[in-house]
Amino acid sequence: MSKFLDLSRDVAELTADLIDIPSVSGYEKTIADVVEESLKRQPHLNVTRFGDTVVARTELGRAERVLLAGHLDTVPLPSAAEARGSVPSRWLGETLYGRGATDMKGGVAVQLALAHHLARPEKDLTFVFYDHEEVEAAKSGLLRVATQARALVNADLAVLLEPTNGLVEAGCNGTLRLRAATEGTAAHSARAWMGDNAVHKLADLLRTLRDYQPASVYVDGLEYREGLNAVGIGGGIAGNVIPDAAYVDINYRFAPDKSVDQAEEHVRRLLNGYQLVRTDAAGGARPGLGNTAVQSLVSAVGGTPQPKYGWTDVARFAELGIPAVNFGPGDALLAHTDDEHVLASDVRKCLGALLDWLT
């Protein structure tokens, strides 16, 4: 494998190059090494490395600074998808398949192409390529940089190159994970009446989650769809033992009109009587479409801004007081799927729109 990428080549081919570098969360070192070396070969950039996060900046003394960010990690690849040959990357006509094609190596390729082509931009630029986005928030490489070297991420506007189908997606939902646990009494399953089945005690909880009707909430003119779901379940000792403990992991995607604490209070009211422990949480972000810098981007790329249903690091920038939006190539509905793919034309169009806006 080459130690660096040719950032001057077609951005769709550059996307394929990135897909060919495995980078499941926790294993981003190889791709971070390649990105760092590729950026160091751009003489107009100052490059800094924080663990497996790479930051590159122009220092031209411009009146405004735009930060463009994207994560290097992907979720694991299902074995069935691997058997179909979706890793490494493969082309089917002008469609590129592979883990991370939409989430979000297409966006990272656009960042790298911009970093190469924009040696004298009208706005100073910061490029952040960070690790550990697809896991719990505490591991985030972006959080690490913002905590240890805040000045490096200061900007007038941050653009997350997450997949948005080439439209600005403003704000984002928050995310909350809770574990609901039940306790019982172990016994031999042949004498079940001597025990108390902890798994059976989850039945009402699962029924409540199944029947729950998630809200659609308007926030500053955009409609955010919520969701409350069981995302994991566990319990049991052996095939002949009544289980004395069980749990369900619950994920609540909540609109940005709520804080994390308000979201948790809502779930606790709904699941009153169950032991609930928060395992992970990240607040959402309001749209912020009234910001001048955001309006400038929307005007340049066209289309009608949409809400972001998933959580992205626009929320982290909001906490830092930095306006931020999502704008990138690819369909977010394909993220994490077995046949994840992106159109070459979408990646090229996204690059062209941002080049026009920044020059």
Side-chain angles (χ1 to χ4, degrees):
M1 179 187 298
S2 174
K3 293 183 178 180
F4 64 93
L5 299 169
D6 179 2
L7 303 189
S8 68
R9 76 199 236 101
D10 174 64
V11 68
E13 295 291 347
L14 187 56
T15 302
D17 293 341
L18 290 166
I19 294 171
D20 289 343
I21 306 174
S23 58
V24 171
S25 302
Y27 298 89
E28 298 98 330
K29 183 180 184 303
T30 299
I31 195 169
D33 288 344
V34 172
V35 167
E36 179 186 21
E37 185 59 34
S38 303
L39 292 169
K40 282 184 173 179
R41 292 170 178 265
Q42 313 305 310
H44 56 283
L45 295 175
N46 293 331
V47 181
T48 308
R49 176 84 173 255
F50 289 84
D52 289 332
T53 291
V54 182
V55 181
R57 292 164 53 96
T58 64
E59 301 289 354
L60 300 172
R62 304 299 198 223
E64 295 179 78
R65 178 174 291 277
V66 172
L67 183 149
L68 300 111
H71 60 85
L72 298 172
D73 59 325
T74 71
V75 294
L77 180 74
S79 58
E82 188 171 6
R84 289 198 296 273
S86 62
V87 167
S89 65
R90 63 187 176 91
W91 287 98
L92 184 60
E94 283 289 286
T95 302
L96 176 62
Y97 287 81
R99 175 57 86 215
T102 55
D103 191 15
M104 58 170 294
K105 291 188 174 180
V108 170
V110 171
Q111 285 179 261
L112 289 170
L114 290 169
H116 169 74
H117 290 294
L118 294 174
R120 304 291 298 179
E122 291 194 353
K123 302 174 177 67
D124 264 314
L125 302 177
T126 300
F127 300 93
V128 182
F129 305 84
Y130 58 102
D131 59 290
H132 284 91
E133 192 270 352
E134 298 286 8
V135 291
E136 57 267 35
K139 293 183 178 181
S140 167
L142 180 59
L143 174 62
R144 185 169 60 250
V145 175
T147 301
Q148 298 177 5
R150 167 62 192 274
L152 285 184
V153 297
N154 283 338
D156 298 288
L157 175 66
V159 180
L160 274 293
L161 276 291
E162 292 277 0
T164 67
N165 267 333
L167 295 171
V168 169
E169 290 187 349
C172 69
N173 278 339
T175 182
L176 170 69
R177 293 188 182 90
L178 299 166
R179 174 164 286 188
T182 55
E183 297 178 353
T185 303
H188 196 295
S189 60
R191 293 172 288 278
W193 62 88
M194 298 297 295
D196 183 18
N197 196 312
V199 170
H200 290 178
K201 290 182 177 181
L202 295 173
D204 287 342
L205 180 147
L206 292 171
R207 190 176 298 111
T208 298
L209 294 175
R210 182 197 66 189
D211 295 341
Y212 179 79
Q213 296 297 312
S216 290
V217 182
Y218 281 90
V219 181
D220 300 339
L222 294 183
E223 183 181 12
Y224 292 84
R225 297 177 60 181
E226 296 192 333
L228 179 64
N229 292 280
V231 293
I233 190 167
I237 300 169
N240 59 353
V241 179
I242 298 301
D244 63 350
Y247 69 86
V248 170
D249 288 328
I250 300 162
N251 184 208
Y252 180 31
R253 298 291 177 141
F254 57 93
D257 65 325
K258 302 176 186 65
S259 68
V260 168
D261 288 342
Q262 289 170 332
E264 183 170 341
E265 181 182 357
H266 172 72
V267 179
R268 287 186 180 277
R269 283 199 307 268
L270 181 72
L271 301 178
N272 185 37
Y274 288 93
Q275 301 175 39
L276 295 173
V277 176
R278 184 195 295 187
T279 57
D280 189 35
R286 301 182 77 93
L289 291 172
N291 179 271
T292 303
V294 173
Q295 291 175 347
S296 170
L297 175 61
V298 171
S299 176
V301 303
T304 301
Q306 302 295 313
K308 189 67 169 177
Y309 298 130
W311 185 91
T312 75
D313 278 295
V314 296
R316 198 167 317 278
F317 285 108
E319 291 177 356
L320 296 172
I322 299 171
V325 295
N326 306 280
F327 176 74
D331 184 350
L333 295 178
L334 296 171
H336 304 182
T337 63
D338 287 359
D339 65 342
E340 188 174 355
H341 59 270
V342 67
L343 298 178
S345 58
D346 287 351
V347 184
R348 293 169 186 144
K349 182 178 179 181
C350 179
L351 173 60
L354 290 173
L355 281 172
D356 289 344
W357 177 53
L358 293 169
T359 55

